[in-house]
Amino acid sequence: MPHELYLLAGRYRLLERLGQGGAGTVWRAIDEMLDRQVAVKQVRVPGGLTPHQHAQFVERAIHEARSAGRLRDPAIVLVHDVVLEGHQPWIIMDLVTGRSLDKLIRERGPLPPGAVARIGLQVLSALEVAHAHGVLHQDVKPANILLDADGSGMLTDFGIAAPMGGPGDRHGSAGSPGYMAPERLNEQPSGAASDLWSLGASLYTAVEGRAPFERDLPAAVAAAVLLHEPPFPARAGRRLGGLLMAMLAKDPAVRPTAPQVRQALTALLQAGPEPAGGRRRWLLPTVLAGVVALGAGGWYAASALRPRPETGRYAAAPDPCTLLTDAQARQLTKGTPVRSASRPGECQWIVRDEPGRTLTVRAWAEKPDGDLGGPQVAQRRFASEKATRAAGKGAEGRDVRGGVSDVPGVGEAAILQNSFTFYINTNKSGRSDSVLLFRASNLLGEVVWHRDDVPASKPADKETAVAAARLVAAAAGG
């Protein structure tokens, strides 16, 4: 562990440790080049990794920090830089002088519903910007919501952010169990609804003064998130309380969407404080009031009043391990691959006789979201991924990322991107990835062809990725 006054990357002087959690340690530091104070996040690298897994983790963390650095919103703490030192990534961010929401709750107790609604709208704005860029925060909690002197909220610490639509939690147990959505605890694919669940849990804590699934032991907290409903937040009132219960639904598909949450919070602020015994106001014939008053079940009722959106051809994503035969994998990899169901929604063929070669197949089905059907949600997600990946084109350090190109004949739409990372001690070889993403109805599939020890003179092998994707899409019925 570095000590105070440690000089990071010859530029950032660590002054004091501000906090520590499962995802890493945050320091207050001085940027000696620009003579300004910054926050430095030392990302925690999981133990027990092989050298290859360690390198992959670090590469992902750096790439995802760079993606977060492109986000701009008044409620987002800016990411300025990311450096690699001591075999781990460090993220340089704005230093916000306000107090965290969890500290404010400890000092003053529960916050009024109106103040909680205003904070919720500001954090929601930050999440909407991140989601529009295809980035999930994955660690929304009171400790990562900062409040300045006028009460304005900002969302910080995108240190474990991940691409939207990816397979499961890339960082394992990183995050706080009481603020991790059930699907994340089950290591299922995360989406925008997962971040909104965490926002709901954070706002519940703010208005009640205690977490919705508060227990003595972390394991008990996780079990409560998965198996139990939280008590109705009595201090919130029926309007805000009903919304929070809806946001904490176990099934991501029935939670309110970001526009619905924004509409409900805005209506709550416009209506003013909820009067005691004010049931008559709840009988006003507005769809939103009726929905929120009913709690989580209200979102079902509202959706029943309008045509059910199209689900799409896929009620569930096919098992990726069934989308390629072993014979096809042998032909594609030109080796003897071993098939492994690495995690839900993902399958890998690892070539044992050619170390460093791995063919990965992922598949996930999008569900209807609000008024959008499954195919429309998949189309929006595909477009977001395309824009985000295209924005990453260029060279940074030893990483070179190519442009995004359309690939005809794979599903309804497909894109390909190649990337190459030079080894630290040479400019003649490195690691190569060819990544193909395709869409068919409400199904999204991804094929990643990874190779180690690749000569820089021939950094890409897109033909293998494209051939594999054609077989995968055909087997999936796309």
Side-chain angles (χ1 to χ4, degrees):
M1 172 69 68
H3 53 78
E4 285 81 359
L5 302 184
Y6 176 81
L7 185 62
L8 172 68
R11 175 173 178 176
Y12 304 105
R13 181 77 64 182
L14 305 187
L15 299 179
E16 65 173 321
R17 195 185 322 185
L18 298 177
Q20 186 170 349
T25 303
V26 178
W27 300 79
R28 182 169 65 88
I30 286 284
D31 179 350
E32 296 190 341
M33 181 177 294
L34 298 180
D35 191 25
R36 65 175 179 179
Q37 292 198 37
V38 295
V40 175
K41 172 69 174 288
Q42 178 186 5
V43 178
R44 181 183 66 85
V45 179
L49 299 181
T50 66
H52 181 64
Q53 290 171 332
H54 184 280
Q56 285 184 318
F57 176 90
V58 170
E59 288 175 8
R60 283 200 304 265
I62 290 175
H63 174 66
E64 290 160 7
R66 287 170 178 161
S67 297
R70 292 193 288 268
L71 305 179
R72 294 292 183 271
D73 185 84
I76 292 179
V77 176
L78 295 180
V79 174
H80 295 294
D81 194 8
V82 57
V83 298
L84 179 63
E85 184 166 303
H87 304 291
Q88 63 184 155
W90 301 71
I91 301 170
I92 317 302
M93 303 172 289
D94 265 351
L95 180 67
V96 180
T97 57
R99 288 176 297 177
S100 63
L101 179 58
D102 69 330
K103 184 176 182 180
L104 183 64
I105 296 168
R106 288 196 303 269
E107 292 176 351
R108 298 188 180 179
L111 276 61
V116 172
R118 282 190 292 273
I119 294 169
L121 281 171
Q122 290 159 346
V123 177
L124 179 65
S125 174
L127 291 176
E128 287 178 312
V129 169
H131 296 165
H133 285 78
V135 174
L136 297 176
H137 186 278
Q138 293 206 125
D139 201 18
V140 180
K141 58 185 180 183
N144 286 337
I145 297 173
L146 302 182
L147 305 176
D148 62 18
D150 67 358
S152 298
M154 297 183 70
L155 182 61
T156 186
D157 199 354
F158 280 79
I160 62 170
M164 188 178 294
D169 181 4
R170 289 171 174 256
H171 298 272
S173 60
S176 300
Y179 298 97
M180 293 170 65
E183 59 271 20
R184 283 200 63 216
L185 288 174
N186 278 326
E187 297 189 357
Q188 298 296 315
S190 302
S194 306
D195 275 350
L196 294 179
W197 189 97
S198 301
L199 174 60
S202 299
L203 299 182
Y204 183 113
T205 302
V207 76
E208 286 294 283
R210 60 178 178 82
F213 300 96
E214 189 173 64
R215 302 290 191 278
D216 291 334
L217 299 175
V221 173
V225 170
L226 293 172
L227 302 174
H228 303 295
E229 297 298 329
F232 189 92
R235 296 177 182 271
R238 297 185 66 185
R239 286 184 297 230
L240 179 59
L243 173 64
L244 297 179
M245 294 297 287
M247 294 174 72
L248 293 174
K250 306 297 185 192
D251 184 354
V254 304
R255 296 172 200 155
T257 62
Q260 290 172 324
V261 173
R262 175 172 295 281
Q263 182 182 7
L265 292 175
T266 302
L268 188 150
L269 286 175
Q270 291 174 344
E274 185 177 343
R279 286 182 65 90
R280 184 174 303 275
R281 176 176 290 185
W282 281 92
L283 299 178
L284 293 174
T286 63
V287 173
L288 181 63
V291 168
V292 176
L294 289 172
W299 302 101
Y300 286 110
S303 63
L305 298 176
R306 57 180 182 266
R308 186 177 297 274
E310 178 189 0
T311 301
R313 296 206 307 270
Y314 300 87
D319 181 355
C321 288
T322 66
L323 299 179
L324 280 180
T325 67
D326 289 338
Q328 289 171 333
R330 284 195 299 271
Q331 184 177 11
L332 288 165
T333 62
K334 298 179 175 61
T336 307
V338 177
R339 179 172 48 183
S340 170
S342 43
R343 63 172 64 195
E346 178 180 285
C347 192
Q348 291 186 334
W349 283 263
I350 302 172
V351 185
R352 300 299 186 189
D353 48 351
E354 291 284 345
R357 295 192 175 204
T358 305
L359 183 64
T360 303
V361 175
R362 301 170 182 141
W364 62 96
E366 297 290 353
K367 296 180 179 179
D369 185 357
D371 293 329
L372 296 178
Q376 288 74 41
V377 174
Q379 187 173 16
R380 183 176 61 180
R381 180 70 51 77
F382 182 87
S384 175
E385 285 286 334
K386 183 176 182 179
T388 300
R389 297 182 188 197
K393 178 183 177 181
E396 292 189 57
R398 308 189 74 81
D399 298 326
V400 181
R401 193 169 300 274
V404 170
S405 59
D406 294 315
V407 180
V410 180
E412 296 173 19
I415 55 173
L416 176 78
Q417 185 175 41
N418 296 309
S419 62
F420 188 83
T421 301
F422 287 96
Y423 291 139
I424 293 177
N425 58 350
T426 180
N427 60 358
K428 295 182 179 179
S429 61
R431 295 180 293 272
S432 169
D433 286 288
S434 294
V435 182
L436 190 146
L437 178 73
F438 72 87
R439 175 180 60 81
S441 185
N442 63 314
L443 180 74
L444 291 174
E446 188 173 57
V447 173
V448 181
W449 174 226
H450 174 83
R451 298 177 298 150
D452 289 339
D453 300 324
V454 177
S457 58
K458 190 179 179 183
D461 178 19
K462 64 180 183 180
E463 292 79 9
T464 298
V466 172
R470 292 191 196 281
L471 292 171
V472 168

XYZ file of all heavy atoms in Angstrom, residues 125-198:
524
model
N -29.826 12.007 -13.780
C -29.268 12.665 -14.959
C -27.894 12.093 -15.296
O -27.582 11.824 -16.460
C -29.170 14.173 -14.709
O -28.512 14.828 -15.788
N -27.060 11.895 -14.268
C -25.731 11.319 -14.496
C -25.839 9.913 -15.070
O -25.103 9.547 -16.007
C -24.945 11.302 -13.189
N -26.750 9.112 -14.541
C -26.901 7.744 -15.031
C -27.428 7.719 -16.468
O -26.995 6.887 -17.276
C -27.848 6.965 -14.114
C -27.317 6.648 -12.716
C -28.382 5.954 -11.883
C -26.058 5.782 -12.805
N -28.346 8.622 -16.787
C -28.876 8.652 -18.151
C -27.775 8.976 -19.155
O -27.731 8.398 -20.246
C -30.020 9.662 -18.240
C -31.300 9.198 -17.558
C -32.402 10.245 -17.613
O -32.131 11.419 -17.301
O -33.535 9.886 -17.966
N -26.877 9.906 -18.803
C -25.752 10.230 -19.689
C -24.842 9.006 -19.847
O -24.430 8.660 -20.959
C -24.961 11.437 -19.141
C -23.649 11.610 -19.893
C -25.792 12.706 -19.262
N -24.525 8.352 -18.733
C -23.661 7.172 -18.805
C -24.302 6.078 -19.643
O -23.652 5.480 -20.511
C -23.366 6.662 -17.393
N -25.577 5.807 -19.421
C -26.256 4.741 -20.161
C -26.348 5.070 -21.645
O -26.260 4.175 -22.493
C -27.650 4.508 -19.580
C -27.628 4.018 -18.162
N -28.737 4.032 -17.347
C -26.615 3.505 -17.407
C -28.413 3.548 -16.159
N -27.131 3.225 -16.177
N -26.532 6.355 -21.975
C -26.584 6.742 -23.390
C -25.255 6.482 -24.080
O -25.218 6.289 -25.300
C -26.959 8.228 -23.511
N -24.161 6.469 -23.314
C -22.835 6.164 -23.867
C -22.483 4.683 -23.697
O -21.337 4.285 -23.919
C -21.764 7.017 -23.190
C -21.757 8.445 -23.647
N -22.674 9.372 -23.191
C -20.957 9.120 -24.527
C -22.430 10.542 -23.753
N -21.410 10.421 -24.564
N -23.458 3.876 -23.284
C -23.212 2.443 -23.147
C -22.405 2.070 -21.924
O -21.789 1.002 -21.891
N -22.406 2.918 -20.877
C -21.598 2.661 -19.681
C -22.519 2.469 -18.482
O -23.417 3.273 -18.239
C -20.630 3.830 -19.411
C -19.893 3.631 -18.076
C -19.629 3.962 -20.550
N -22.293 1.391 -17.719
C -22.977 1.161 -16.454
C -22.064 1.593 -15.313
O -20.870 1.319 -15.331
C -23.330 -0.316 -16.285
C -24.296 -0.924 -17.301
C -24.454 -2.412 -17.042
C -25.648 -0.238 -17.224
N -22.638 2.230 -14.296
C -21.827 2.669 -13.157
C -21.457 1.490 -12.260
O -20.305 1.314 -11.879
C -22.581 3.723 -12.347
C -21.768 4.328 -11.246
N -21.598 3.716 -10.021
C -21.066 5.488 -11.179
C -20.818 4.466 -9.259
N -20.496 5.555 -9.938
N -22.428 0.675 -11.884
C -22.282 -0.565 -11.112
C -21.969 -0.367 -9.625
O -21.818 -1.353 -8.912
C -21.211 -1.489 -11.713
C -21.558 -2.048 -13.068
C -20.876 -3.356 -13.375
O -21.517 -4.344 -13.687
N -19.563 -3.399 -13.294
N -21.872 0.868 -9.146
C -21.582 1.055 -7.723
C -22.289 2.303 -7.192
O -21.701 3.096 -6.454
C -20.072 1.152 -7.501
C -19.667 0.835 -6.054
O -20.485 0.224 -5.333
O -18.552 1.200 -5.657
N -23.554 2.474 -7.588
C -24.339 3.593 -7.077
C -24.716 3.287 -5.628
O -25.358 2.275 -5.342
C -25.608 3.824 -7.916
C -26.412 4.995 -7.353
C -25.251 4.079 -9.371
N -24.306 4.142 -4.719
C -24.601 3.977 -3.295
C -24.397 5.321 -2.618
O -23.777 6.232 -3.194
C -23.690 2.917 -2.663
C -22.203 3.206 -2.792
C -21.377 2.052 -2.244
C -19.870 2.335 -2.378
N -19.051 1.203 -1.910
N -24.901 5.518 -1.398
C -24.781 6.823 -0.743
C -23.340 7.313 -0.615
O -23.099 8.524 -0.699
C -25.417 6.570 0.625
C -26.441 5.507 0.363
C -25.800 4.606 -0.653
N -22.379 6.410 -0.429
C -20.985 6.836 -0.294
C -20.439 7.418 -1.584
O -19.460 8.175 -1.560
C -20.113 5.655 0.143
N -21.051 7.103 -2.737
C -20.595 7.612 -4.030
C -21.466 8.741 -4.557
O -21.346 9.131 -5.712
C -20.539 6.476 -5.051
C -19.365 5.551 -4.798
O -18.381 5.941 -4.173
N -19.463 4.322 -5.273
N -22.355 9.264 -3.716
C -23.157 10.437 -4.065
C -22.660 11.583 -3.195
O -22.752 11.536 -1.967
C -24.652 10.181 -3.837
C -25.141 9.055 -4.754
C -25.459 11.453 -4.083
C -26.572 8.616 -4.476
N -22.082 12.597 -3.823
C -21.500 13.722 -3.095
C -22.421 14.927 -3.170
O -23.009 15.200 -4.222
C -20.131 14.069 -3.671
C -19.098 12.938 -3.674
C -17.777 13.442 -4.237
C -18.903 12.365 -2.284
N -22.532 15.660 -2.057
C -23.406 16.824 -1.978
C -22.569 18.054 -1.684
O -21.766 18.064 -0.744
C -24.447 16.636 -0.867
C -25.302 15.362 -0.964
C -26.208 15.256 0.253
C -26.114 15.369 -2.243
N -22.751 19.109 -2.487
C -22.015 20.338 -2.214
C -22.815 21.218 -1.253
O -23.842 20.809 -0.701
C -21.664 21.077 -3.504
C -22.889 21.509 -4.296
O -23.992 21.547 -3.711
O -22.750 21.822 -5.490
N -22.362 22.442 -1.052
C -22.948 23.292 -0.012
C -24.424 23.588 -0.234
O -25.187 23.744 0.725
C -22.166 24.597 0.078
N -24.872 23.677 -1.494
C -26.280 23.988 -1.762
C -27.148 22.747 -1.878
O -28.322 22.832 -2.242
C -26.408 24.854 -3.016
C -26.011 24.109 -4.286
O -25.600 22.927 -4.198
O -26.100 24.707 -5.370
N -26.575 21.573 -1.577
C -27.346 20.343 -1.609
C -27.376 19.641 -2.949
O -28.023 18.600 -3.088
N -26.694 20.184 -3.954
C -26.664 19.544 -5.269
C -25.896 18.234 -5.192
O -24.846 18.153 -4.544
C -26.006 20.468 -6.300
O -26.755 21.651 -6.441
N -26.418 17.216 -5.869
C -25.802 15.897 -5.823
C -24.952 15.618 -7.053
O -25.262 16.063 -8.157
N -23.861 14.895 -6.832
C -22.989 14.463 -7.921
C -22.669 12.983 -7.721
O -22.535 12.505 -6.595
C -21.683 15.265 -7.955
C -21.854 16.738 -8.209
S -20.251 17.593 -8.308
C -19.623 16.965 -9.870
N -22.534 12.284 -8.830
C -22.203 10.857 -8.789
C -20.723 10.690 -9.092
O -20.223 11.165 -10.113
C -23.041 10.095 -9.817
C -22.851 8.566 -9.862
C -23.228 7.940 -8.526
C -23.695 7.968 -10.983
N -20.022 10.026 -8.193
C -18.594 9.833 -8.373
C -18.261 8.355 -8.471
O -19.144 7.495 -8.364
C -17.811 10.467 -7.202
O -16.402 10.378 -7.480
C -18.099 9.749 -5.892
N -16.986 8.066 -8.679
C -16.414 6.722 -8.640
C -16.993 5.794 -9.706
O -17.765 4.877 -9.417
C -16.578 6.088 -7.259
C -15.607 4.932 -7.061
O -14.915 4.577 -8.031
O -15.542 4.402 -5.954
N -16.581 6.046 -10.963
C -16.876 5.102 -12.035
C -15.779 4.043 -12.124
O -15.521 3.482 -13.175
C -16.990 5.839 -13.378
C -18.321 6.504 -13.588
C -18.620 7.701 -12.986
C -19.281 5.917 -14.399
C -19.846 8.319 -13.179
C -20.512 6.524 -14.598
C -20.788 7.729 -13.991
N -15.127 3.746 -10.994
C -13.967 2.853 -10.996
C -14.267 1.429 -11.400
O -13.382 0.711 -11.847
N -15.532 0.955 -11.206
C -15.856 -0.401 -11.648
C -16.937 -0.363 -12.726
O -17.670 -1.325 -12.917
C -16.294 -1.306 -10.480
C -17.570 -0.788 -9.800
C -15.173 -1.463 -9.468
C -18.168 -1.763 -8.810
N -17.024 0.787 -13.431
C -17.979 0.892 -14.526
C -17.681 -0.162 -15.584
O -16.556 -0.630 -15.730
C -17.920 2.289 -15.146
N -18.711 -0.549 -16.329
C -18.549 -1.605 -17.331
C -19.439 -1.320 -18.525
O -20.433 -0.594 -18.419
C -18.896 -2.971 -16.733
N -19.112 -1.871 -19.701
C -19.963 -1.695 -20.875
C -21.350 -2.278 -20.649
O -21.506 -3.346 -20.062
C -19.214 -2.459 -21.975
C -17.818 -2.572 -21.489
C -17.902 -2.645 -20.004
N -22.360 -1.574 -21.124
C -23.728 -2.043 -20.987
C -23.955 -3.297 -21.826
O -23.444 -3.434 -22.921
C -24.700 -0.942 -21.409
C -26.157 -1.251 -21.137
S -27.219 0.133 -21.624
C -26.713 1.394 -20.455
N -24.758 -4.222 -21.285
C -25.091 -5.429 -22.035
C -24.047 -6.502 -21.936
O -24.158 -7.539 -22.574
N -22.985 -6.298 -21.145
C -21.945 -7.315 -21.000
C -22.429 -8.490 -20.175
O -23.438 -8.432 -19.478
N -21.691 -9.589 -20.195
C -22.105 -10.800 -19.502
C -21.698 -10.784 -18.038
O -20.570 -11.071 -17.683
C -21.361 -11.901 -20.255
C -20.126 -11.230 -20.734
C -20.488 -9.796 -20.993
N -22.621 -10.439 -17.156
C -22.353 -10.563 -15.739
C -21.430 -9.479 -15.210
O -21.104 -8.507 -15.857
N -21.025 -9.677 -13.993
C -20.215 -8.694 -13.284
C -18.754 -8.918 -13.582
O -18.159 -9.886 -13.169
C -20.501 -8.832 -11.774
C -19.729 -7.834 -10.943
O -19.036 -6.991 -11.535
O -19.836 -7.899 -9.711
N -18.133 -8.006 -14.270
C -16.734 -8.150 -14.649
C -15.797 -8.099 -13.448
O -14.655 -8.531 -13.532
C -16.343 -7.018 -15.613
C -16.956 -7.160 -16.990
C -16.691 -5.888 -17.785
N -17.144 -6.048 -19.157
C -16.331 -6.255 -20.176
N -15.052 -6.363 -19.990
N -16.799 -6.383 -21.400
N -16.264 -7.546 -12.347
C -15.376 -7.338 -11.222
C -15.824 -8.144 -10.013
O -15.570 -7.780 -8.876
C -15.304 -5.852 -10.872
C -14.754 -5.021 -11.981
N -13.416 -4.790 -12.151
C -15.369 -4.394 -13.021
C -13.215 -4.027 -13.221
N -14.391 -3.782 -13.762
N -16.501 -9.247 -10.260
C -16.830 -10.171 -9.196
C -17.623 -9.512 -8.091
O -18.716 -9.034 -8.289
N -17.057 -9.489 -6.883
C -17.782 -9.003 -5.720
C -17.606 -7.513 -5.490
O -17.998 -7.002 -4.447
C -17.320 -9.774 -4.470
O -15.939 -9.586 -4.267
N -16.963 -6.800 -6.425
C -16.767 -5.362 -6.236
C -18.112 -4.682 -6.106
O -19.038 -4.945 -6.853
C -15.973 -4.782 -7.397
N -18.200 -3.750 -5.151
C -19.462 -3.100 -4.896
C -19.960 -3.468 -3.507
O -19.361 -4.266 -2.794
N -21.067 -2.864 -3.090
C -21.634 -3.093 -1.762
C -22.887 -3.942 -1.899
O -23.821 -3.549 -2.604
C -21.969 -1.751 -1.098
O -20.795 -0.962 -0.971
N -22.951 -5.089 -1.232
C -24.078 -6.019 -1.434
C -25.446 -5.384 -1.263
O -26.368 -5.675 -2.024
C -23.822 -7.094 -0.368
C -22.358 -7.061 -0.132
C -21.947 -5.624 -0.299
N -25.610 -4.483 -0.276
C -26.919 -3.895 -0.049
C -27.374 -2.945 -1.126
O -28.542 -2.538 -1.153
N -26.452 -2.574 -2.043
C -26.789 -1.649 -3.128
C -26.539 -2.283 -4.498
O -26.531 -1.583 -5.502
C -25.988 -0.355 -2.972
C -26.319 0.361 -1.682
C -25.518 0.204 -0.552
C -27.463 1.148 -1.582
C -25.844 0.834 0.644
C -27.794 1.776 -0.391
C -26.981 1.612 0.721
O -27.319 2.231 1.906
N -26.337 -3.596 -4.523
C -26.167 -4.324 -5.784
C -27.477 -4.996 -6.149
O -28.073 -5.703 -5.331
C -25.052 -5.374 -5.656
C -23.662 -4.780 -5.484
S -22.414 -6.023 -5.040
C -22.414 -7.022 -6.532
N -27.956 -4.779 -7.359
C -29.216 -5.358 -7.812
C -29.156 -6.885 -7.754
O -28.076 -7.480 -7.862
C -29.526 -4.895 -9.229
N -30.307 -7.540 -7.592
C -30.313 -9.007 -7.494
C -29.608 -9.699 -8.650
O -28.896 -10.688 -8.448
C -31.811 -9.341 -7.464
C -32.466 -8.122 -6.914
C -31.649 -6.962 -7.399
N -29.770 -9.176 -9.873
C -29.137 -9.832 -11.015
C -27.617 -9.746 -10.937
O -26.906 -10.646 -11.397
C -29.651 -9.251 -12.340
C -29.433 -7.763 -12.536
C -30.568 -6.910 -12.003
O -31.350 -7.404 -11.143
O -30.674 -5.756 -12.432
N -27.097 -8.690 -10.344
C -25.639 -8.588 -10.186
C -25.142 -9.580 -9.151
O -24.097 -10.199 -9.319
C -25.228 -7.168 -9.791
C -25.256 -6.186 -10.956
C -24.402 -4.963 -10.644
N -23.010 -5.346 -10.475
C -22.184 -4.781 -9.604
N -22.626 -3.849 -8.793
N -20.937 -5.174 -9.526
N -25.883 -9.729 -8.046
C -25.484 -10.707 -7.033
C -25.515 -12.118 -7.600
O -24.742 -12.983 -7.184
C -26.414 -10.601 -5.827
C -26.235 -9.350 -4.953
C -27.311 -9.288 -3.888
C -24.859 -9.340 -4.308
N -26.410 -12.353 -8.554
C -26.490 -13.669 -9.211
C -25.543 -13.794 -10.393
O -25.589 -14.785 -11.116
C -27.926 -13.929 -9.685
C -28.812 -14.441 -8.565
O -28.352 -15.162 -7.691
N -30.079 -14.063 -8.592
N -24.703 -12.751 -10.627
C -23.742 -12.716 -11.728
C -24.418 -12.892 -13.081
O -23.921 -13.552 -13.985
C -22.643 -13.774 -11.533
C -21.801 -13.527 -10.287
C -20.584 -14.431 -10.215
O -20.411 -15.285 -11.100
O -19.808 -14.278 -9.255
N -25.600 -12.272 -13.198
C -26.324 -12.234 -14.461
C -25.994 -10.920 -15.172
O -25.496 -9.971 -14.560
C -27.833 -12.338 -14.205
C -28.252 -13.633 -13.552
C -27.976 -14.842 -14.442
O -28.255 -14.821 -15.639
N -27.402 -15.889 -13.864
N -26.277 -10.833 -16.487
C -25.995 -9.590 -17.210
C -26.683 -8.387 -16.578
O -27.840 -8.458 -16.180
C -26.540 -9.878 -18.617
C -26.457 -11.356 -18.752
C -26.752 -11.906 -17.385
N -25.939 -7.296 -16.468
C -26.466 -6.057 -15.895
C -26.943 -5.132 -17.001
O -26.479 -5.211 -18.136
C -25.382 -5.352 -15.070
O -24.901 -6.184 -14.046
N -27.876 -4.256 -16.652
C -28.360 -3.269 -17.602
C -28.673 -1.978 -16.876
O -28.376 -1.810 -15.689
N -29.297 -1.064 -17.587
C -29.657 0.218 -16.985
C -30.529 0.018 -15.751
O -30.410 0.748 -14.759
C -30.376 1.082 -18.016
N -31.402 -0.997 -15.790
C -32.287 -1.257 -14.658
C -31.501 -1.603 -13.396
O -31.974 -1.370 -12.280
C -33.262 -2.388 -14.997
N -30.299 -2.157 -13.549
C -29.476 -2.505 -12.382
C -28.991 -1.250 -11.671
O -29.021 -1.169 -10.436
C -28.283 -3.362 -12.824
O -28.699 -4.492 -13.562
N -28.531 -0.265 -12.442
C -28.120 1.002 -11.834
C -29.303 1.725 -11.190
O -29.168 2.346 -10.127
C -27.481 1.906 -12.893
C -26.003 1.623 -13.093
O -25.409 0.861 -12.300
O -25.428 2.167 -14.060
N -30.483 1.646 -11.824
C -31.659 2.306 -11.263
C -32.096 1.629 -9.973
O -32.596 2.289 -9.052
C -32.796 2.319 -12.282
C -32.546 3.170 -13.533
C -33.728 3.078 -14.484
C -32.275 4.620 -13.162
N -31.928 0.307 -9.873
C -32.207 -0.393 -8.615
C -31.305 0.162 -7.511
O -31.756 0.458 -6.400
C -31.959 -1.889 -8.790
C -32.414 -2.754 -7.640
C -33.582 -3.447 -7.539
C -31.692 -3.005 -6.416
N -33.648 -4.112 -6.333
C -32.493 -3.857 -5.627
C -30.465 -2.603 -5.920
C -32.099 -4.308 -4.361
C -30.064 -3.035 -4.657
C -30.875 -3.885 -3.898
N -30.024 0.315 -7.820
C -29.069 0.840 -6.833
C -29.420 2.275 -6.442
O -29.274 2.661 -5.275
C -27.648 0.774 -7.397
O -27.293 -0.554 -7.724
